[in-house]
Amino acid sequence: MSATPPGIEKILFTEEEIDRRIREVGAEITRAYAGRAVKLIGVLKGSVYFLTALTRHIELPVKIDFLAISSFSNKSGAPGLVRIAKDLDDSIEGEDVLLVEDVIDTGFTLRYLLQTLSGRAPNSLAVCTFLDRTSRRIVQAPVDFRCFEIPDRFVVGFGLDYNQLYRNLEYVAVLKPEKAGE
Ligand code: IMP
Ligand code: MG
């Protein structure tokens, strides 16, 4: 996609900035896991664009697998309920697992995934996120690698969606408030 679609307020990270950061984080991961193989687990669908780009810059044996989750609110509207909608294809027992997220916001999703995956006896379990919005964190969860910290605005692009749209933007952008329902 090249034309800026309606609904976009401003570009936060350009394609070039994203590419540069992913190369740097890929090199960090390569150093951290030197001599080992790493299994990247992507959370569908938002992390797909980031995960595939990242694998191109990890100079180690790499495997990939995916899971999908659905999050919902409880009766009082509080967030934080998460369940697995599509599970991994393969076991992670004994493997060095890197969970790859598009964005960490409240931390509820990440905490749930870490609890679930750590119960499957991986050799190690770490977290890599494309975007991190630490200002909205409610539950603390460890982040080992991240590309960018973001402000408290709804963002789309490079995998992140609004109503399933905008994932294919090559940049990350702030959505206009009237679109994002802020
Ligand atoms: P949390 O950390 O459990 O609050 O949820 C993070 C999830 O909320 C992410 O994996 C996204 O699916 C979604 N999300 C949070 N902020 C944004 C955003 O700015 N744009 C698109 N999706 C978002
Ligand atoms: Mg997500």
PDB file of all heavy atoms in Angstrom, residues 20 23 35 39 42 50 67 101 105 118 127 141 145 165 167 173 176 178 180:
ATOM      1  N   ARG A  20      14.965  -0.698  10.302  1.00  0.00           N
ATOM      2  CA  ARG A  20      16.215  -0.526  11.035  1.00  0.00           C
ATOM      3  C   ARG A  20      16.111  -1.140  12.435  1.00  0.00           C
ATOM      4  O   ARG A  20      16.991  -1.850  12.897  1.00  0.00           O
ATOM      5  CB  ARG A  20      16.556   0.970  11.138  1.00  0.00           C
ATOM      6  CG  ARG A  20      17.983   1.233  11.554  1.00  0.00           C
ATOM      7  CD  ARG A  20      18.342   2.727  11.585  1.00  0.00           C
ATOM      8  NE  ARG A  20      17.593   3.521  10.618  1.00  0.00           N
ATOM      9  CZ  ARG A  20      16.873   4.609  10.937  1.00  0.00           C
ATOM     10  NH1 ARG A  20      16.773   5.012  12.187  1.00  0.00           N
ATOM     11  NH2 ARG A  20      16.247   5.294  10.003  1.00  0.00           N
ATOM     12  N   ARG A  23      16.078  -4.972  12.404  1.00  0.00           N
ATOM     13  CA  ARG A  23      17.445  -5.491  12.210  1.00  0.00           C
ATOM     14  C   ARG A  23      18.207  -5.488  13.527  1.00  0.00           C
ATOM     15  O   ARG A  23      18.915  -6.451  13.865  1.00  0.00           O
ATOM     16  CB  ARG A  23      18.219  -4.634  11.193  1.00  0.00           C
ATOM     17  CG  ARG A  23      17.811  -4.885   9.768  1.00  0.00           C
ATOM     18  CD  ARG A  23      18.450  -3.861   8.831  1.00  0.00           C
ATOM     19  NE  ARG A  23      17.866  -4.013   7.512  1.00  0.00           N
ATOM     20  CZ  ARG A  23      18.307  -4.871   6.598  1.00  0.00           C
ATOM     21  NH1 ARG A  23      19.378  -5.616   6.846  1.00  0.00           N
ATOM     22  NH2 ARG A  23      17.711  -4.996   5.432  1.00  0.00           N
ATOM     23  N   GLY A  35      24.435 -20.083  19.583  1.00  0.00           N
ATOM     24  CA  GLY A  35      24.702 -21.508  19.763  1.00  0.00           C
ATOM     25  C   GLY A  35      23.464 -22.349  19.977  1.00  0.00           C
ATOM     26  O   GLY A  35      23.553 -23.568  20.151  1.00  0.00           O
ATOM     27  N   LYS A  39      12.598 -21.010  18.916  1.00  0.00           N
ATOM     28  CA  LYS A  39      11.256 -21.144  18.319  1.00  0.00           C
ATOM     29  C   LYS A  39      10.456 -19.880  18.594  1.00  0.00           C
ATOM     30  O   LYS A  39      10.188 -19.539  19.751  1.00  0.00           O
ATOM     31  CB  LYS A  39      10.513 -22.355  18.870  1.00  0.00           C
ATOM     32  CG  LYS A  39       9.101 -22.458  18.279  1.00  0.00           C
ATOM     33  CD  LYS A  39       8.321 -23.662  18.772  1.00  0.00           C
ATOM     34  CE  LYS A  39       8.597 -24.878  17.903  1.00  0.00           C
ATOM     35  NZ  LYS A  39       7.714 -26.030  18.286  1.00  0.00           N
ATOM     36  N   GLY A  42       4.161 -16.775  17.367  1.00  0.00           N
ATOM     37  CA  GLY A  42       3.430 -15.553  17.046  1.00  0.00           C
ATOM     38  C   GLY A  42       2.000 -15.644  17.506  1.00  0.00           C
ATOM     39  O   GLY A  42       1.374 -16.703  17.441  1.00  0.00           O
ATOM     40  N   PHE A  50       5.348  -8.612  11.836  1.00  0.00           N
ATOM     41  CA  PHE A  50       6.576  -8.410  12.610  1.00  0.00           C
ATOM     42  C   PHE A  50       7.387  -9.697  12.696  1.00  0.00           C
ATOM     43  O   PHE A  50       8.597  -9.705  12.467  1.00  0.00           O
ATOM     44  CB  PHE A  50       6.198  -7.890  14.006  1.00  0.00           C
ATOM     45  CG  PHE A  50       7.359  -7.815  14.964  1.00  0.00           C
ATOM     46  CD1 PHE A  50       8.540  -7.170  14.610  1.00  0.00           C
ATOM     47  CD2 PHE A  50       7.256  -8.372  16.234  1.00  0.00           C
ATOM     48  CE1 PHE A  50       9.607  -7.089  15.503  1.00  0.00           C
ATOM     49  CE2 PHE A  50       8.316  -8.294  17.126  1.00  0.00           C
ATOM     50  CZ  PHE A  50       9.496  -7.658  16.754  1.00  0.00           C
ATOM     51  N   LEU A  67      -0.323 -19.186  17.584  1.00  0.00           N
ATOM     52  CA  LEU A  67      -1.571 -19.452  18.295  1.00  0.00           C
ATOM     53  C   LEU A  67      -2.454 -18.219  18.157  1.00  0.00           C
ATOM     54  O   LEU A  67      -1.984 -17.140  17.830  1.00  0.00           O
ATOM     55  CB  LEU A  67      -1.315 -19.830  19.758  1.00  0.00           C
ATOM     56  CG  LEU A  67      -0.477 -18.929  20.651  1.00  0.00           C
ATOM     57  CD1 LEU A  67      -1.236 -17.677  21.067  1.00  0.00           C
ATOM     58  CD2 LEU A  67      -0.066 -19.695  21.897  1.00  0.00           C
ATOM     59  N   GLU A 101       4.853 -10.718  20.165  1.00  0.00           N
ATOM     60  CA  GLU A 101       3.595  -9.964  20.232  1.00  0.00           C
ATOM     61  C   GLU A 101       3.654  -8.728  19.343  1.00  0.00           C
ATOM     62  O   GLU A 101       4.734  -8.196  19.076  1.00  0.00           O
ATOM     63  CB  GLU A 101       3.333  -9.524  21.679  1.00  0.00           C
ATOM     64  CG  GLU A 101       2.395 -10.432  22.441  1.00  0.00           C
ATOM     65  CD  GLU A 101       0.916 -10.274  22.014  1.00  0.00           C
ATOM     66  OE1 GLU A 101       0.632  -9.785  20.900  1.00  0.00           O
ATOM     67  OE2 GLU A 101       0.062 -10.655  22.822  1.00  0.00           O
ATOM     68  N   ASP A 105      -0.181  -3.957  25.958  1.00  0.00           N
ATOM     69  CA  ASP A 105      -0.922  -2.803  26.453  1.00  0.00           C
ATOM     70  C   ASP A 105      -1.132  -2.979  27.964  1.00  0.00           C
ATOM     71  O   ASP A 105      -0.244  -2.686  28.750  1.00  0.00           O
ATOM     72  CB  ASP A 105      -2.235  -2.736  25.664  1.00  0.00           C
ATOM     73  CG  ASP A 105      -3.001  -1.467  25.899  1.00  0.00           C
ATOM     74  OD1 ASP A 105      -2.409  -0.389  25.748  1.00  0.00           O
ATOM     75  OD2 ASP A 105      -4.195  -1.537  26.241  1.00  0.00           O
ATOM     76  N   SER A 118       4.362 -21.544  29.959  1.00  0.00           N
ATOM     77  CA  SER A 118       5.373 -22.021  30.908  1.00  0.00           C
ATOM     78  C   SER A 118       4.982 -23.377  31.490  1.00  0.00           C
ATOM     79  O   SER A 118       5.838 -24.153  31.911  1.00  0.00           O
ATOM     80  CB  SER A 118       5.623 -21.001  32.015  1.00  0.00           C
ATOM     81  OG  SER A 118       4.441 -20.775  32.731  1.00  0.00           O
ATOM     82  N   VAL A 127      10.076 -12.981  25.872  1.00  0.00           N
ATOM     83  CA  VAL A 127       9.060 -12.190  25.183  1.00  0.00           C
ATOM     84  C   VAL A 127       9.718 -11.145  24.293  1.00  0.00           C
ATOM     85  O   VAL A 127      10.625 -10.432  24.728  1.00  0.00           O
ATOM     86  CB  VAL A 127       8.147 -11.476  26.204  1.00  0.00           C
ATOM     87  CG1 VAL A 127       7.146 -10.563  25.498  1.00  0.00           C
ATOM     88  CG2 VAL A 127       7.439 -12.495  27.093  1.00  0.00           C
ATOM     89  N   ALA A 141       4.432  -7.741  33.411  1.00  0.00           N
ATOM     90  CA  ALA A 141       4.852  -8.934  32.693  1.00  0.00           C
ATOM     91  C   ALA A 141       6.203  -8.606  32.065  1.00  0.00           C
ATOM     92  O   ALA A 141       6.411  -7.483  31.598  1.00  0.00           O
ATOM     93  CB  ALA A 141       3.827  -9.314  31.628  1.00  0.00           C
ATOM     94  N   PHE A 145      12.673  -8.266  24.745  1.00  0.00           N
ATOM     95  CA  PHE A 145      13.098  -7.538  23.541  1.00  0.00           C
ATOM     96  C   PHE A 145      11.913  -6.717  23.049  1.00  0.00           C
ATOM     97  O   PHE A 145      10.790  -7.217  23.037  1.00  0.00           O
ATOM     98  CB  PHE A 145      13.504  -8.511  22.420  1.00  0.00           C
ATOM     99  CG  PHE A 145      14.530  -9.531  22.827  1.00  0.00           C
ATOM    100  CD1 PHE A 145      14.131 -10.786  23.297  1.00  0.00           C
ATOM    101  CD2 PHE A 145      15.891  -9.246  22.747  1.00  0.00           C
ATOM    102  CE1 PHE A 145      15.066 -11.738  23.674  1.00  0.00           C
ATOM    103  CE2 PHE A 145      16.841 -10.204  23.128  1.00  0.00           C
ATOM    104  CZ  PHE A 145      16.431 -11.443  23.583  1.00  0.00           C
ATOM    105  N   LEU A 165      -8.909  -4.022   9.681  1.00  0.00           N
ATOM    106  CA  LEU A 165      -8.335  -3.265   8.566  1.00  0.00           C
ATOM    107  C   LEU A 165      -7.019  -2.608   8.985  1.00  0.00           C
ATOM    108  O   LEU A 165      -6.704  -2.540  10.165  1.00  0.00           O
ATOM    109  CB  LEU A 165      -9.322  -2.190   8.089  1.00  0.00           C
ATOM    110  CG  LEU A 165     -10.574  -2.745   7.418  1.00  0.00           C
ATOM    111  CD1 LEU A 165     -11.582  -1.623   7.157  1.00  0.00           C
ATOM    112  CD2 LEU A 165     -10.230  -3.471   6.113  1.00  0.00           C
ATOM    113  N   ARG A 167      -3.972  -3.567   8.546  1.00  0.00           N
ATOM    114  CA  ARG A 167      -2.813  -4.404   8.867  1.00  0.00           C
ATOM    115  C   ARG A 167      -1.700  -4.267   7.828  1.00  0.00           C
ATOM    116  O   ARG A 167      -0.528  -4.397   8.137  1.00  0.00           O
ATOM    117  CB  ARG A 167      -3.224  -5.891   8.940  1.00  0.00           C
ATOM    118  CG  ARG A 167      -4.150  -6.229  10.093  1.00  0.00           C
ATOM    119  CD  ARG A 167      -4.225  -7.738  10.240  1.00  0.00           C
ATOM    120  NE  ARG A 167      -5.374  -8.195  11.018  1.00  0.00           N
ATOM    121  CZ  ARG A 167      -5.399  -8.261  12.350  1.00  0.00           C
ATOM    122  NH1 ARG A 167      -4.361  -7.885  13.043  1.00  0.00           N
ATOM    123  NH2 ARG A 167      -6.475  -8.688  12.971  1.00  0.00           N
ATOM    124  N   ALA A 173       0.874   3.899  12.281  1.00  0.00           N
ATOM    125  CA  ALA A 173       0.243   5.217  12.302  1.00  0.00           C
ATOM    126  C   ALA A 173      -0.767   5.319  13.429  1.00  0.00           C
ATOM    127  O   ALA A 173      -1.320   4.325  13.888  1.00  0.00           O
ATOM    128  CB  ALA A 173      -0.436   5.480  10.961  1.00  0.00           C
ATOM    129  N   LYS A 176      -7.186   8.336  13.503  1.00  0.00           N
ATOM    130  CA  LYS A 176      -7.943   9.520  13.947  1.00  0.00           C
ATOM    131  C   LYS A 176      -8.880   9.138  15.081  1.00  0.00           C
ATOM    132  O   LYS A 176      -9.510   8.069  15.029  1.00  0.00           O
ATOM    133  CB  LYS A 176      -8.751  10.091  12.778  1.00  0.00           C
ATOM    134  CG  LYS A 176      -7.914  10.838  11.778  1.00  0.00           C
ATOM    135  CD  LYS A 176      -8.762  11.423  10.655  1.00  0.00           C
ATOM    136  CE  LYS A 176      -7.867  12.116   9.639  1.00  0.00           C
ATOM    137  NZ  LYS A 176      -8.511  12.258   8.332  1.00  0.00           N
ATOM    138  N   GLU A 178     -11.863   9.879  15.987  1.00  0.00           N
ATOM    139  CA  GLU A 178     -13.264   9.539  15.667  1.00  0.00           C
ATOM    140  C   GLU A 178     -13.360   8.114  15.118  1.00  0.00           C
ATOM    141  O   GLU A 178     -14.355   7.434  15.301  1.00  0.00           O
ATOM    142  CB  GLU A 178     -13.891  10.549  14.688  1.00  0.00           C
ATOM    143  CG  GLU A 178     -13.213  10.667  13.331  1.00  0.00           C
ATOM    144  CD  GLU A 178     -12.128  11.739  13.292  1.00  0.00           C
ATOM    145  OE1 GLU A 178     -11.530  12.029  14.357  1.00  0.00           O
ATOM    146  OE2 GLU A 178     -11.855  12.271  12.201  1.00  0.00           O
ATOM    147  N   ALA A 180     -11.036   5.680  15.989  1.00  0.00           N
ATOM    148  CA  ALA A 180     -10.612   4.764  17.044  1.00  0.00           C
ATOM    149  C   ALA A 180     -11.595   4.714  18.204  1.00  0.00           C
ATOM    150  O   ALA A 180     -11.484   3.868  19.066  1.00  0.00           O
ATOM    151  CB  ALA A 180      -9.227   5.184  17.558  1.00  0.00           C
TER     152      ALA A 180
END
